[in-house]
Amino acid sequence: MQHIESLQNQKIKTLVQLQKKSKTRQELNTFIIEGKREVELARNANYYFKQVFICENIFDQKIDFPSTEVFNISEKIYQKIAYRGSTEGIIAVVEPKAHQLDQLKFEHQNPLILVAEAPEKPGNIGALLRTADAANCDAVIIANPTTDLYNPNIIRSSVGTLFTNQIAVGQTSEIIEFLNKNEISIYAATLQNSNSYLETDYNKATAFVVGTEAEGLSQEWRDKSTQNVIIPMQGQIDSMNVSVSAAILIFEAVRQRQIK
């Protein structure tokens, strides 16, 4: 194991840039994972680890990283470069995966899918991924992405479920084509021309589509959906946080499938 003692070391400088800049992540085709649970989930998902930085004063586990450069860094360096407030003593540099629609594989004839159109806030994306993992969704699809999927804030807010979900990225038109080709019904969460989400049977192949809190879903989704659905509001506002809305819809489908 190699030891690094200086913040001026080029590898440490690169780590900082990978944390801060999407451009650097794209240019180097790598991203940062921080934390024991997140690292283990990525390993279980067969991500390729290029480098691992361990602070032995903090990290108390023995993990084998074959074919990976492993560096021991001082606690002073770790505290400077750690992204999260809590310290766990491990940071990894990892290669991203390709997230293409044609790579999605469904084990069941009635997959349950969450589609999020143009989500902007990393915290919302992370929360959507946690919901999808909790419900054991078959896939999460990001339409018209505006945020780097491997943004450290997404990894952190998803508590590592970025690595447990099957994820694809694409443009709205190609996603609609993919869903239609695979005979997956589209239920668009929108205020316009909608029925209550409780009035629909979700036992067949189902994709719930949610939009941004500010703009909602694009007209294309509303026009091409099997049915627009709405969660009736009981108070004075007409919408909820997108991840909360997605959770309500998805777990209604889970409920229906469990009692069938």
Side-chain angles (χ1 to χ4, degrees), residues 41 52 61 64 68 71 78 100 145 147 149 158 175 185 193 221:
L41 290 173
V52 175
Q61 297 181 6
D64 183 33
T68 302
F71 303 92
Y78 185 80
Q100 298 173 340
T147 303
L149 190 60
S158 77
I175 295 170
S185 297
N193 302 318
W221 280 112

Side-chain angles (χ1 to χ4, degrees), residues 5 31 37 63 65 69 71 81 90 105 115 122 136 143 160 179 196 199 207 209 225 233 259:
E5 302 289 342
F31 67 99
R37 172 171 50 190
I63 300 180
F65 292 95
E69 288 186 295
F71 303 92
I81 64 175
I90 184 167
K105 299 187 185 308
V115 181
N136 196 26
L179 295 173
S196 168
E199 298 175 4
V209 190
S225 70
M233 299 288 105
I259 64 175

Side-chain angles (χ1 to χ4, degrees), residues 189-191 194-198 229-242 244-246 248-249:
T190 182
L191 298 175
S194 300
N195 293 341
S196 168
Y197 78 106
L198 294 171
V229 294
I230 189 171
I231 301 171
M233 299 288 105
Q234 305 301 315
Q236 297 184 42
I237 61 171
D238 62 4
S239 66
M240 293 179 292
N241 175 275
V242 63
V244 174
S245 298
I248 291 171
L249 297 172

Side-chain angles (χ1 to χ4, degrees), residues 120-121 124 211-216 239-245:
E120 298 174 335
K121 299 177 182 178
N124 279 344
T212 64
E213 293 166 35
E215 302 294 333
S239 66
M240 293 179 292
N241 175 275
V242 63
S243 63
V244 174
S245 298

Side-chain angles (χ1 to χ4, degrees), residues 10-244:
Q10 186 56 51
K11 290 182 173 59
I12 301 302
K13 290 183 177 180
T14 300
L15 269 183
V16 173
Q17 293 302 306
L18 287 170
Q19 289 173 326
K20 292 181 177 180
K21 296 183 178 181
S22 175
K23 181 180 179 181
T24 302
R25 293 192 288 272
Q26 293 173 2
E27 289 176 348
L28 299 181
N29 194 39
T30 53
F31 67 99
I32 297 294
I33 303 176
E34 181 179 330
K36 298 175 185 177
R37 172 171 50 190
E38 289 82 352
V39 165
E40 193 60 35
L41 290 173
R43 280 163 53 88
N44 292 341
N46 296 316
Y47 275 78
Y48 176 68
F49 283 66
K50 298 187 70 174
Q51 297 173 327
V52 175
F53 297 82
I54 292 174
C55 177
E56 293 183 327
N57 291 346
I58 302 173
F59 190 73
D60 56 1
Q61 297 181 6
K62 296 293 183 182
I63 300 180
D64 183 33
F65 292 95
S67 306
T68 302
E69 288 186 295
V70 180
F71 303 92
N72 180 29
I73 57 178
S74 68
E75 190 168 349
K76 180 180 178 181
I77 291 178
Y78 185 80
Q79 298 290 357
K80 286 284 187 181
I81 64 175
Y83 190 81
R84 304 194 322 191
S86 60
T87 56
E88 294 186 301
I90 184 167
I91 297 176
V93 178
V94 184
E95 286 189 0
K97 290 187 176 183
H99 295 281
Q100 298 173 340
L101 283 168
D102 60 9
Q103 293 179 321
L104 292 178
K105 299 187 185 308
F106 304 123
E107 297 180 0
H108 317 287
Q109 291 184 336
N110 64 334
L112 179 58
I113 299 168
L114 172 61
V115 181
E117 184 181 39
E120 298 174 335
K121 299 177 182 178
N124 279 344
I125 298 172
L128 289 167
L129 292 171
R130 291 180 70 174
T131 295
D133 176 89
N136 196 26
C137 286
D138 294 276
V140 176
I141 303 176
I142 308 295
N144 311 336
T146 61
T147 303
D148 175 6
L149 190 60
Y150 291 100
N151 182 311
N153 276 322
I154 293 178
I155 299 173
R156 177 174 61 172
S157 60
S158 77
V159 293
T161 56
L162 174 65
F163 311 120
T164 65
N165 284 291
Q166 187 176 204
I167 302 173
V169 176
Q171 297 301 304
T172 286
S173 57
E174 62 179 329
I175 295 170
I176 291 173
E177 181 180 355
F178 171 84
L179 295 173
N180 288 335
K181 179 181 177 181
N182 287 276
E183 300 182 338
I184 299 170
S185 297
I186 299 171
Y187 297 100
T190 182
L191 298 175
Q192 294 84 3
N193 302 318
S194 300
N195 293 341
S196 168
Y197 78 106
L198 294 171
E199 298 175 4
T200 302
D201 183 346
Y202 305 115
N203 280 287
K204 295 182 179 180
T206 295
F208 288 113
V209 190
V210 295
T212 64
E213 293 166 35
E215 302 294 333
L217 283 174
S218 64
Q219 188 66 43
E220 188 171 8
W221 280 112
R222 288 183 246 157
D223 291 343
K224 299 296 178 62
S225 70
T226 306
Q227 175 63 57
N228 293 342
V229 294
I230 189 171
I231 301 171
M233 299 288 105
Q234 305 301 315
Q236 297 184 42
I237 61 171
D238 62 4
S239 66
M240 293 179 292
N241 175 275
V242 63
S243 63
V244 174

